[in-house]
Amino acid sequence: MRKTLSVSILSGKGGVGKTNLALNLAFCLHKGGHPLLLMDCDMGLANLDVLLGLAPEHTMYDLLESDIEPQSIVVPIEQGGFDFLPAASGLTDLIEMDNDTRELLFHRLLPVFDGYDYLFMDLGAGISPTVLSLGAMSDMRVVIITPEPTSLTDSYALIKMMHAQHGVDDFHVIVNQAENPGEVKQAFQRLAAVCDRFLGISPVLLGGVSYDKALPEAVRRQTPLMRMNHKSPAAKDIFSIAVKMQRHRAAIVHTLGQSPLFGELTGKEY
Ligand SMILES: Nc1ncnc2c1ncn2[C@@H]1O[C@H](COP(=O)(O)OP(=O)(O)OP(=O)(O)O)[C@@H](O)[C@H]1O
Ligand SMILES: [Mg+2]
């Protein structure tokens, strides 16, 4: 039975820290003993490869263009099943994939997904149809916000659209770039209050991540923060969140056989 938890990392506003949080949470979960596949789903501005200091030979785009073996695109990041699926950046025809292309791509990737405990999807910012449908199909949606008012309004718009178009009502939230725990609480409560009042939805707070100069430093060095300095404030926060994600998976692992992402794909003929 499939036991992969698919996790989409989302945000309304761009540049809030999705890619860095996806990478470092993935790093922690792998260190915790979980095989994990990190998939760059930001087809417009793919940059996980840059954060990892990699120049992959193939990307997922090649799967649509040729009959290359899907396994040959997978790039190992660490031994023991921490792997990466690179996307091609700046390909305008892929930024907004239509439904058929997206389904074809995921169908070709199905054999690759096997055997991981987590599939992390780092999505582009905003409310494009690709973001909304991949987010809706995943088992867990993690919305990254910052304490800025623009981030709150944009993340509310994202949640509202996903709820309206796909009937989704469960969301987890991380407040990134917070100056103190009070800011985390306040930002989350503001978002939770509007979600509750206008949509009848109660998002769950996974935790806050401190504003930490070590993070831009890790970006400059093209290495995950967890590898560079796992004792920095943001690294400690990210570790606590990874522990919660581990607990969440343990609580729902028995339901993952009917995972929407994989279920929808396996039932189709191509
Ligand atoms: N906790 C933090 N403390 C300090 N700086 C941070 C933190 N989180 C993110 N940043 C900074 O924000 C920048 C943008 O982060 P990142 O690329 O992960 O955002 P993103 O949401 O993936 O952006 P995009 O929407 O373009 O995909 C990083 O290069 C980093 O310098
Ligand atoms: Mg990003």
Side-chain angles (χ1 to χ4, degrees), residues 191-260:
L191 177 64
V194 282
C195 287
D196 180 40
R197 181 163 173 208
F198 298 110
L199 309 173
I201 285 177
S202 305
V204 175
L205 178 64
L206 274 175
V209 177
S210 313
Y211 182 87
D212 184 350
K213 279 188 282 195
L215 214 139
E217 173 62 27
V219 172
R220 277 194 288 277
R221 292 196 198 178
Q222 291 184 280
T223 192
L225 173 67
M226 286 295 171
R227 197 187 270 157
M228 186 188 89
N229 181 357
H230 68 278
K231 289 189 173 151
S232 78
K236 287 185 185 164
D237 296 335
I238 291 169
F239 178 80
S240 307
I241 293 172
V243 170
K244 285 195 193 166
M245 292 182 77
Q246 204 173 18
R247 283 198 205 118
H248 181 69
R249 179 176 173 277
I252 65 163
V253 72
H254 61 282
T255 65
L256 293 176
Q258 294 90 45
S259 181

Side-chain angles (χ1 to χ4, degrees), residues 109-124:
L109 285 169
L110 263 185
V112 171
F113 293 154
D114 244 355
Y116 294 101
D117 284 358
Y118 293 88
L119 167 66
F120 263 43
M121 296 189 281
D122 176 29
L123 289 164

Side-chain angles (χ1 to χ4, degrees), residues 61-77:
Y61 185 69
D62 298 319
L63 280 186
L64 296 170
E65 290 291 288
S66 67
D67 54 8
I68 181 173
E69 275 299 306
Q71 202 64 47
S72 64
I73 335 174
V74 176
V75 183
I77 301 177

Side-chain angles (χ1 to χ4, degrees), residues 5-23:
L5 181 80
S6 56
V7 181
S8 51
I9 313 289
L10 305 148
S11 76
K13 188 175 178 304
V16 295
K18 288 180 298 302
T19 303
N20 278 280
L21 293 187
L23 172 63

